[in-house]
Amino acid sequence: MIETPYLLFLGDAPDMLATKVAIGIKDWRPDASVGQFRMEGCKADLGLPDMTIDQAIEAGAKTLVIGVANRGGVISASWKAVLLEALEKGMDIASGLHNLLKDEADLAAAAMMHGCTLFDVRVPLTEFPIANGKKRTGKRCLPVGTDCSVGKMYTGLAMEKEMHARGMKSTFRPTGQTGILITGGGIPLDAVVADFMAGSVEYLTPDNDADHWDLIEGQGSLFHVSYSGVTMALIHGGQPDALVLCHEPTRAHMRGLPDYQQPSLQKLRDVALTLARVANPACEVIGISVNTQHLSEAEADEYLAKVESEMGLPTVDPFRQGAGRLVDALAAC
Amino acid sequence: MIETPYLLFLGDAPDMLATKVAIGIKDWRPDASVGQFRMEGCKADLGLPDMTIDQAIEAGAKTLVIGVANRGGVISASWKAVLLEALEKGMDIASGLHNLLKDEADLAAAAMMHGCTLFDVRVPLTEFPIANGKKRTGKRCLPVGTDCSVGKMYTGLAMEKEMHARGMKSTFRPTGQTGILITGGGIPLDAVVADFMAGSVEYLTPDNDADHWDLIEGQGSLFHVSYSGVTMALIHGGQPDALVLCHEPTRAHMRGLPDYQQPSLQKLRDVALTLARVANPACEVIGISVNTQHLSEAEADEYLAKVESEMGLPTVDPFRQGAGRLVDALAAC
């Protein structure tokens, strides 16, 4: 587990979009960060206190989190002085970049010298078992999408927030870099070796109290040919009791695949449920989460009502309306 | 590519079963091996000429293939003298064992010293791209099973043999260790990192002549929760034009999963075809391959006739009857 509180490093971010990871941490774990570190020329601002390394340590920060991605996902040379200072003063560093912290000789040496840990959350740290398919105690919910990047992580985090507000037992279980940095732990499923994918999901969602819900972060889509194997492993390793269908209604084609169209929600429901029931015959689809960010509020309301009537399932945009109705459905499960 | 001809190393195999890999090579590539090497106490015999390393080299052998698996899949200390002699005399070594040749310091040093190559076919040697889903030229056939280990590799190899006998253009495309050792090349799909699985299958089955068939080696099963993600990546990366359903009718439960039952052939057909058509809308199921080794000939005939009538598809045991009817169906595709 990555130790909190964090100092969010925004570096020389050219715009807000480049700090997506930091925004995710601030939105979903507002108490996890003491402040932000911005270098000269940084065009992003999370509205957190600007801090030097010394000020952050004074405020209790344990880990500097690289909350910015530059072109190519590399560790910029211009960041090095700051990162080295953080290590020298005893902070850990966490990163989800493609280029690994531990492959930078100067950072690796400084971390060793000062007894600090470098967390490269793209790399699995554990050897996972092959999945055994045994029924586990506790309950699990998995969002599945008509496409990649349709709001599966957001849906899971929004449901967890609502469940905690209601005093329900639940844990968001990250399976991707951003989710891991937001919560401090999880499994970078897309970096796990094929044979161990489903086993890693079993490991991530162990036996639990009968009334506890794991909210597993979804990945890819059964209908996205590049990543469908990862989604399949989530469905069978996660043995979900409940699925939430996730959709973004304005896509012209599948993300990154110009020749492929999104499936209908009916088709996603039928295929995902058939496969999920292999591992858990009691699995049900309990609701639909639609990312309506590219629709006006009136269009969104109309679209959600239409889908709800067609599918006969609670249909919400958790960003606009909260995840209350999805949690109601889960509670009734 | 691993250079032929091979010397098949049977070591101190306690029985024939332990030499499954060598048997596969001998059965499917009878011209690939000059002989066998058996140590004292070896209880297996492929009926090939017994040879020393010197005799094998004299007969033209380029690669010593470890055709035996001992408990735990490790490289036995008692084998070392033979393996070192082979390297010293200029042979390459190929192995599908869990423990890697290249991790044995003495073997690695000898290989470097003598300019030989150690092929650990469990380890992918290439960095694969993420799948792009683009339609490729040529045709592809994929066997999919109701369970693991129901005869998918055997079916593909039997079809290739029949197609070559008929002068049809086809290539068996291995995705597992045994298949790679049999043919000298391929991709160990279960060892590929999740994000690149489908991309590795695209890489394995590139553009080809319009009348050329890739016969892709199947892995796992969509209904086997431990490995279904790997199967999914084969279906979407392979974009098959034709599926062959594979089944073993005497299993009490899914392999290694006592709480799971095999799906019906109807269910396998429906789920696999629905998913395959995401990548290739023209995909068809062209036949059924049943492993009837645990049935008498009369029982087998009766079972095959029953399935053929229920499913309306050519249904054969390629071991007992050859793959002719499956190839007829493929040719009509």
Side-chain angles (χ1 to χ4, degrees), chain A residues 73-75 95-105 107 118-123:
Chain A
V74 301
I75 296 156
S95 161
L97 298 175
H98 271 290
N99 281 37
L100 304 185
L101 297 168
K102 71 178 175 55
D103 289 343
E104 303 287 314
L107 297 181
L118 301 175
F119 292 98
D120 286 301
V121 300
R122 274 191 189 267
V123 184

Side-chain angles (χ1 to χ4, degrees), chain A residues 122 130-135 189-199 202 221-230 232-233 236-237 239 256-260 267 271 274-275 277-280, chain B residues 122 130-135 189-199 202 221-230 232-233 236-237 239 256-260 267 271 274-275 277-280:
Chain A
R122 274 191 189 267
I130 286 178
N132 63 34
K134 289 195 183 127
K135 178 75 183 156
L189 185 57
D190 61 10
V192 171
V193 164
D195 243 4
F196 306 100
M197 292 186 299
E202 291 187 347
S221 164
L222 287 171
F223 293 84
H224 194 295
V225 296
S226 310
Y227 308 114
S228 52
V230 180
M232 186 76 261
H236 282 167
Q239 54 183 229
L257 303 175
D259 301 333
Y260 290 78
K267 190 153 190 182
V271 172
T274 300
L275 290 166
R277 285 180 174 167
V278 171
N280 186 347
Chain B
R122 273 190 190 268
I130 285 178
N132 63 36
K134 289 197 183 127
K135 178 74 184 157
L189 185 57
D190 62 11
V192 171
V193 164
D195 243 4
F196 305 101
M197 293 186 299
E202 291 187 347
S221 164
L222 287 171
F223 293 84
H224 194 295
V225 297
S226 309
Y227 308 114
S228 53
V230 179
M232 185 77 261
H236 282 168
Q239 54 183 230
L257 303 175
D259 301 333
Y260 290 78
K267 189 153 191 184
V271 171
T274 300
L275 290 165
R277 285 181 174 166
V278 170
N280 185 347

Side-chain angles (χ1 to χ4, degrees), chain A residues 230-295:
Chain A
V230 180
T231 313
M232 186 76 261
L234 274 166
I235 290 175
H236 282 167
Q239 54 183 229
D241 302 273
L243 299 175
V244 176
L245 309 182
C246 297
H247 185 53
E248 203 284 73
T250 69
R251 295 264 168 94
H253 57 72
M254 294 291 280
R255 189 173 163 88
L257 303 175
D259 301 333
Y260 290 78
Q261 298 301 310
Q262 288 177 304
S264 67
L265 283 161
Q266 285 84 350
K267 190 153 190 182
L268 172 63
R269 175 196 62 202
D270 294 345
V271 172
L273 204 50
T274 300
L275 290 166
R277 285 180 174 167
V278 171
N280 186 347
C283 184
E284 296 288 349
V285 174
I286 59 106
I288 300 171
S289 172
V290 181
N291 176 347
T292 64
Q293 66 176 314
H294 298 301
L295 301 180

Side-chain angles (χ1 to χ4, degrees), chain A residues 150-165:
Chain A
V150 292
K152 295 186 297 296
M153 183 182 81
Y154 194 101
T155 300
L157 284 163
M159 289 176 74
E160 188 201 34
K161 189 176 173 186
E162 174 71 17
M163 292 173 85
H164 285 178

Side-chain angles (χ1 to χ4, degrees), chain B residues 123-146:
Chain B
V123 184
L125 293 176
T126 318
E127 286 207 9
F128 300 109
I130 285 178
N132 63 36
K134 289 197 183 127
K135 178 74 184 157
R136 304 190 292 289
T137 54
K139 289 184 170 279
R140 285 155 200 90
C141 174
L142 176 71
V144 290
T146 51

Side-chain angles (χ1 to χ4, degrees), chain B residues 58-76:
Chain B
E58 180 71 29
K62 302 285 187 224
T63 305
L64 180 151
V65 174
I66 297 186
V68 53
N70 55 13
R71 236 192 306 265
V74 302
I75 295 156
S76 164

